Amino acid sequence: MPSSTGPSIDTITEGGRVTQVGEGQEAEESSPAVVTLGAPTVGELLAERYELVEHINNDSAGRLVWRGVDVVLRRPVAVVLRYPGGDSATEMLQAAVAASRVIHPNLVGVYDAIDEDDRAYVVREWVDGQSLREMVAADGPLDPARATAIGNAVASALAAVHATGMVHGNLHPGTVMISDDGRVVLADARTDGADSQENDLRAVGGVLYFALTGHWPHGEAPLHGATAGHGRAALPDAVRDASGSIAAPRQVRAGVPAYLDDLTMDLLDPEIAPPSSDVLSAELSRLDIPADEQFLEQAGPLRFTADPGEEPSSPLAAAGGRKVALGIAGLLVVALVGLLVGISVLGGGDDDAKEPVAQPTNSAPATGGSTEAAAPVRKLTVSDVRIIDPESGDRAEVRNAEKVIDGSDDEGWETQTYRNNGKFGGLKKGMGVWIDLGAPHTVKSLQATLSSTGASAELRAGTNGEFPSTSKGDKDLVAAYPTVIGQPFEDHDGTKMTFNGFDPAQKYQYLLFWITELPKKDDGSGWKIGVQEITVQGS
């Protein structure tokens, strides 16, 4: 009897406990009838080893799922029985044997596969926990860090499966389970000639999308084992525009980082070839960083269309990634503190009794009796950036937002070329770049560097500088930014727009650079603009 570890054949949760039902759902009304002749009973001992304890449910293929116990090793197991055995059970048994050969901490273990002619059964690991489907249904979409961690575990499990030449073939929120101790486990592998490793990778995008939004993008790019049907009908469909295109996670829910949004949508885009599972696993592992290190600068997402000869997007990855950066930063802080202490000690004496004299700064003059100096104006760090498109245009048009804050004017984000007129061809009222400063700041100015002259734009802020927490998409977000900062730029002659007019008594965290009209291209072939860089000055 094969006895090893690998992905399971059927698993699901119910009521917070993994109830081991196939395809992530209870059996549907249209499920095949269950053969009851010679049905097992509580206390029955299979193969003189596996005692049946409780009938849990029947999966959508009509197989009986039991909780049992291995009386030899005294451990709980799940037992999946099929009637009859023989040739009709070949696929199930072959899948179990193949799964038992793959050992990985994120794959449910398969212990045994037995054919008794009148019935066949698979014995596998019993997992206490809940599925991703039930977790999101109960608690809502996950935070980006948690979604990334789950995606990382799933991709890592797939890499182990794919390394053997096999495919999983049944990846969706019902087969991704989180045990009570936090372990993420992939279950219910299938063997089917129609499956492919590419479909597995597309399904990772679907899992990330579901974790971030609570919606399943099964209708956008039909995947074998990932379309609406057995075990998936209860998953809410993705948010779509009039043409049927799905909205990006950041259009559905605020706070999704640009790099995670791009990676998810690239995986779902049939026009972009996905990376191999090991490359995807490495990328998600790089992005899966502890919450206390989130303040460190993101190195950017994996771009699947990049030239293989290009430098990696994360120069720290080869040297230990962000932990190296954190260590260096810590050493610099220690050195700085030591220097200040030394200056304080060496500068002691009579001078310590003197009243401090306020010195003039670039933002406020010295005052006669005040010892307080205004905080110096500096370049503020933009912690997040996103392209806003309320009319949901081409998905490619909302990519590359991170290039507007990369410190270089050479590359940036750009619109498509629009025909007919500069008002986005009459198709939309505008597009914009939304920025998050990470925390409320006193803002002095914002400067946008454009690729050409002649564009019209304005800078918007939310009421009291607040972010609209009730926003469910770009259209609501734009409506929640009614305040225009300074004078709008119309028919601007230069390539730099500088917005002043910020209320010095007000603090701002979220701003929206809103483009209302595009300039005509030099060759006269249409209207288009690029935003090369956005910088914010303040304190």
Side-chain angles (χ1 to χ4, degrees):
M1 296 184 297
S3 180
S4 185
T5 305
S8 77
I9 306 305
D10 310 86
T11 305
I12 188 54
T13 66
E14 179 179 337
R17 182 187 68 182
V18 175
T19 55
Q20 323 290 316
V21 180
E23 292 196 336
Q25 289 280 3
E26 295 180 348
E28 301 178 11
E29 293 181 2
S30 59
S31 300
V34 177
V35 177
T36 58
L37 180 63
T41 58
V42 173
E44 182 176 353
L45 196 63
L46 303 180
E48 300 181 351
R49 179 169 183 173
Y50 307 110
E51 181 182 351
L52 300 180
V53 176
E54 179 186 7
H55 177 213
I56 300 302
N57 216 317
N58 302 329
D59 70 13
S60 59
R63 294 172 294 191
L64 284 68
V65 184
W66 281 73
R67 178 170 63 87
V69 61
D70 182 340
V71 298
V72 175
L73 298 179
R74 306 306 303 171
R75 64 181 175 185
V77 294
V79 182
V80 183
L81 297 102
R82 187 192 191 286
Y83 292 88
D87 293 341
S88 61
T90 299
E91 181 181 340
M92 181 184 80
L93 296 173
Q94 286 179 343
V97 172
S100 70
R101 296 170 181 161
V102 185
I103 301 175
H104 193 277
N106 299 119
L107 291 170
V108 173
V110 175
Y111 303 142
D112 221 336
I114 300 171
D115 185 4
E116 295 180 348
D117 290 330
D118 59 329
R119 65 183 178 185
Y121 46 92
V122 172
V123 182
R124 56 175 173 74
E125 178 183 3
W126 176 272
V127 182
D128 285 314
Q130 60 181 334
S131 69
L132 176 62
R133 176 181 61 83
E134 290 193 339
M135 175 180 283
V136 171
D139 303 325
L142 309 183
D143 63 81
R146 184 61 172 144
T148 301
I150 289 176
N152 179 24
V154 170
S156 180
L158 283 182
V161 173
H162 291 177
T164 67
M166 297 189 301
V167 299
H168 185 275
N170 193 34
L171 174 56
H172 56 80
T175 56
V176 176
M177 288 174 295
I178 298 89
S179 69
D180 290 339
D181 62 0
R183 174 188 170 207
V184 179
V185 215
L186 181 55
D188 199 11
R190 296 292 174 86
T191 55
D192 190 319
D195 293 324
S196 69
Q197 292 187 2
E198 179 175 335
N199 285 347
D200 279 350
L201 292 161
R202 301 290 187 199
V204 176
V207 166
L208 285 171
Y209 191 96
F210 180 81
L212 292 167
T213 68
H215 297 272
W216 180 245
H218 55 75
E220 170 67 5
L223 306 172
H224 182 82
T227 55
H230 288 306
R232 300 168 193 83
L235 297 178
D237 190 15
V239 177
R240 301 177 185 276
D241 61 18
S243 66
S245 299
I246 63 173
R250 302 184 78 194
Q251 294 174 307
V252 178
R253 177 188 176 203
V256 178
Y259 64 86
L260 189 56
D261 184 88
D262 283 335
L263 188 149
T264 300
M265 294 304 288
D266 281 353
L267 286 170
L268 293 172
D269 190 340
E271 300 300 320
I272 299 178
S276 61
S277 53
D278 56 341
V279 171
L280 178 59
S281 174
E283 174 66 5
L284 284 167
S285 178
R286 181 176 71 84
L287 299 176
D288 182 12
I289 59 176
D292 59 355
E293 295 183 27
Q294 290 289 343
F295 67 88
L296 292 171
E297 182 180 358
Q298 293 291 349
L302 173 73
R303 304 307 303 183
F304 306 150
T305 54
D307 186 335
E310 290 181 2
E311 290 296 319
S313 59
S314 174
L316 292 177
R322 292 172 171 78
K323 288 182 171 56
V324 172
L326 185 61
I328 293 173
L331 291 174
L332 290 176
V333 169
V334 172
L336 179 60
V337 171
L339 178 62
L340 293 176
V341 170
I343 293 174
S344 176
V345 172
L346 294 175
D350 295 340
D351 290 340
D352 292 341
K354 296 179 180 179
E355 285 291 326
V357 179
Q359 298 296 322
T361 70
N362 61 346
S363 57
T367 56
S370 174
T371 60
E372 288 190 13
V377 175
R378 60 183 174 84
K379 179 181 176 181
L380 300 178
T381 299
V382 177
S383 67
D384 197 9
V385 63
R386 165 180 163 186
I387 305 303
I388 303 300
D389 183 6
E391 274 69 36
S392 300
D394 190 331
R395 169 61 197 162
E397 198 171 18
V398 298
R399 293 181 179 145
N400 300 322
E402 67 280 357
K403 291 184 178 180
V404 305
I405 57 169
D406 62 2
S408 171
D409 293 347
D410 295 336
E411 286 188 304
W413 165 78
E414 60 182 13
T415 68
Q416 290 182 337
T417 297
Y418 287 83
R419 311 298 177 184
N420 301 325
N421 59 62
K423 297 284 189 180
F424 294 89
L427 300 175
K428 57 186 72 173
K429 295 181 180 179
M431 290 185 70
V433 181
W434 173 87
I435 63 174
D436 175 7
L437 298 175
H441 289 273
T442 299
V443 179
K444 182 72 173 178
S445 66
L446 179 145
Q447 184 178 84
T449 301
L450 308 180
S451 61
S452 60
T453 62
S456 296
E458 60 192 29
L459 184 65
R460 297 184 179 186
T463 305
N464 297 324
E466 296 177 354
F467 177 71
S469 59
T470 58
S471 173
K472 292 183 173 62
D474 285 5
K475 193 167 293 187
D476 292 337
L477 191 150
V478 172
Y481 281 75
T483 305
V484 176
I485 305 297
Q487 184 68 28
F489 282 85
E490 298 178 354
D491 298 326
H492 188 58
D493 293 332
T495 58
K496 292 186 184 294
M497 293 183 178
T498 301
F499 295 87
N500 299 304
F502 289 88
D503 183 352
Q506 176 65 58
K507 291 187 180 295
Y508 302 84
Q509 178 173 348
Y510 307 98
L511 298 169
L512 177 61
F513 175 66
W514 186 246
I515 303 169
T516 55
E517 188 165 0
L518 306 173
K520 197 165 189 176
K521 295 174 64 175
D522 292 339
D523 60 7
S525 61
W527 286 260
K528 181 178 185 177
I529 193 64
V531 180
Q532 306 302 104
E533 192 72 15
I534 289 180
T535 57
V536 184
Q537 297 286 330
S539 59

